[in-house]
């Protein structure tokens, strides 16, 4: 392990992390998976506050904490909390802060995790805020790409699907920007990558091409990152009905792919990758979900000072 002092207290947005921090997180996740380091979280408690539904993020954080000997307080929705009696968001957080050592928060409102980091003394981890950011997903995506390709540098990456509302692709594009990628943004016009992300990439000298069809770019790609059309973020259900099923990746779609092209997906999927693709050597999305545990062990232990150098 490199000797490195992690600078960030919180993980809220990919723009807050520099390349050295990203490398350190990826390196730490690898060392944890391979058993070279064993973070000790005994006596530590993580509060996992999920104001929005989750399977992978929530359970992988819980699994990560338990594998390190720590414990987790789990809130799945506000139904059984005093939010139902009218307690404010910040009062809820300031109370739970007294019971835990780190706060992991998912919320439908963009900026909720940033606000939490401003009112709390504890480290705060953004587990997804609306259509904005999902930085811990991007970190496990980096770790997955490093495992499959041996490097993060100079890769050709296709981001496919809902690039407008898909927070994972916003974070991943900004994370990969530290590694000189060439991007293909594949989406219908209505769901294109937000202008502020594209402006950020341009300012950092990153090349991207926007297209509406996936097949022509498949032979170029090292990574095809497929996303669900985010039904819950559409203001007009008719737009969702018009755009759902825009991309369905099947075995024919990937016929011309490079041998080591890997398909990633943050999951859950609806219909954008057929089940037949799961047994293809290109499919990597369930391994990717497993990698989330190692990366979240790295995140929790680094932010709580549990890595022994
Ligand atoms: N990838 C991801 O965030 O999945 P969940 O919504 O199930 O946590």
């Amino acid at each position: 392990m490199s000797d490195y002092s992690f600078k960030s207290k919180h993980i809220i947005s990919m723009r807050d992390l520099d390349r050295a921090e990203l490398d350190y997180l990826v390196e730490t996740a690898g060392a944890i998976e391979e058993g070279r380091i064993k973070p000790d979280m005994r006596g530590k408690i993580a509060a996992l506050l999920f104001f929005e539904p989750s399977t992978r993020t929530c359970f992988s954080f819980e699994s990560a904490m338990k594998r390190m000997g720590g414990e987790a307080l789990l809130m799945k929705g506000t139904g059984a909390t005093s939010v139902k009696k009218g307690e404010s968001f910040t009062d809820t957080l300031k109370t739970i802060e007294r019971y835990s050592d780190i706060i992991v928060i998912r919320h439908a409102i963009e900026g909720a995790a940033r606000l939490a980091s401003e009112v709390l003394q504890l480290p705060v981890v953004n587990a997804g805020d609306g259509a904005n950011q999902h930085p811990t997903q991007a970190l496990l995506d980096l770790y997955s790409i490093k495992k499959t390709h041996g490097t993060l540098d100079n890769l050709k990456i296709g981001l496919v699907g809902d690039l407008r509302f898909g927070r994972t692709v916003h974070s991943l594009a900004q994370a990969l920007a530290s590694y000189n990628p060439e991007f293909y943004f594949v989406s219908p016009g209505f769901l294109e990558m937000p202008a502020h992300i594209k402006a950020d990439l341009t300012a950092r000298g990153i090349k991207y091409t926007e297209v509406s069809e996936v097949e022509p770019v498949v032979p170029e790609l090292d990574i095809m990152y497929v996303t669900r059309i985010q039904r819950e973020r559409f203001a007009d259900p008719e737009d969702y009905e018009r755009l759902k099923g825009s991309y369905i990746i099947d075995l024919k779609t990937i016929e011309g792919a490079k041998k080591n092209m890997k398909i990633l997906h943050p999951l859950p999927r609806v219909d954008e990758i057929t089940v037949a693709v799961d047994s293809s050597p290109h499919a990597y999305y369930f391994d990717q979900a497993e990698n989330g545990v190692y990366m979240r062990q790295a995140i929790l232990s680094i932010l709580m000072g549990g890595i022994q150098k």
Side-chain angles (χ1 to χ4, degrees), residues 79 155 217 264 277 298:
L155 296 173
V217 304
L264 273 62
V277 174

Side-chain angles (χ1 to χ4, degrees), residues 18-300:
D18 62 23
R19 178 170 171 150
E21 289 174 301
L22 299 178
D23 287 344
Y24 183 63
L25 282 158
V26 168
E27 190 184 343
T28 304
I32 289 170
E33 182 177 4
E34 292 164 14
R36 287 184 280 115
I37 58 172
K38 294 185 191 303
D40 184 0
M41 289 288 105
R42 281 176 295 176
K44 299 285 188 187
I45 298 174
L48 311 180
L49 308 181
F50 282 74
F51 292 81
E52 265 198 331
S54 168
T55 297
R56 279 144 292 274
T57 313
C58 182
F59 289 124
S60 64
F61 266 116
E62 187 178 11
S63 174
M65 216 40 209
K66 289 180 173 173
R67 284 173 191 224
M68 298 187 293
E71 296 189 58
L73 304 178
L74 185 53
M75 187 196 89
K76 295 200 83 155
T78 56
T81 74
S82 290
V83 171
K84 288 291 171 204
K85 302 175 200 162
E87 187 163 36
S88 72
F89 177 64
T90 51
D91 281 4
T92 301
L93 293 179
K94 286 177 180 174
T95 303
I96 293 170
E97 177 174 44
R98 304 297 177 111
Y99 309 148
S100 53
D101 299 292
I102 192 167
I103 303 272
V104 176
I105 182 167
R106 169 172 290 189
H107 203 287
I109 296 177
E110 297 183 20
R114 179 75 69 196
L115 172 62
S117 74
E118 287 167 0
V119 299
L120 300 179
Q121 305 305 312
L122 293 181
V124 174
V125 177
N126 182 4
D129 62 324
N132 183 31
Q133 287 272 327
H134 194 346
T136 71
Q137 177 70 45
L139 291 167
L140 77 90
D141 296 338
L142 289 188
Y143 180 51
S144 299
I145 296 168
K146 184 74 188 284
K147 280 175 72 175
T148 59
H149 286 75
T151 181
L152 290 167
D153 289 300
N154 307 317
L155 296 173
K156 294 191 175 183
I157 312 278
L159 304 180
V160 182
D162 186 348
L163 309 187
R164 176 176 180 177
F165 299 122
R167 57 194 173 198
T168 64
V169 287
H170 304 161
S171 292
L172 182 58
Q174 292 185 315
L176 281 167
S178 292
Y179 300 93
N180 192 38
E182 186 174 338
F183 284 123
Y184 295 87
F185 295 156
V186 185
S187 75
F190 187 81
L191 297 177
E192 72 184 46
M193 187 63 87
H196 74 276
I197 303 280
K198 290 188 281 192
D200 182 35
L201 297 176
T202 300
R204 297 167 77 181
I206 304 302
K207 214 173 132 193
Y208 62 82
T209 306
E210 296 183 282
V211 295
S212 58
E213 288 185 31
V214 66
E215 285 81 0
V217 304
V218 167
E220 301 295 325
L221 301 178
D222 298 303
I223 295 289
M224 178 194 286
Y225 193 96
V226 184
T227 61
R228 174 176 67 90
I229 310 287
Q230 307 273 306
R231 179 169 49 111
E232 65 275 29
R233 313 261 181 241
F234 280 74
D236 183 346
E238 283 186 18
D239 285 328
Y240 175 73
E241 290 302 317
R242 179 169 56 82
L243 293 165
K244 71 179 183 186
S246 290
Y247 303 101
I248 297 183
I249 308 300
D250 58 18
L251 289 170
K252 188 158 171 33
T253 316
I254 56 174
E255 264 174 8
K258 292 178 188 171
K259 194 159 179 273
N260 193 35
M261 188 276 281
K262 295 297 179 196
I263 303 171
L264 273 62
H265 190 310
L267 303 176
R269 72 174 150 188
V270 180
D271 58 2
E272 55 278 0
I273 303 175
T274 64
V275 173
V277 174
D278 295 1
S279 47
S280 149
H282 298 293
Y284 193 73
Y285 24 93
F286 290 109
D287 300 290
Q288 179 188 359
E290 178 184 331
N291 291 337
V293 177
Y294 311 122
M295 178 50 76
R296 287 170 175 134
Q297 282 182 266
I299 292 166
L300 290 166

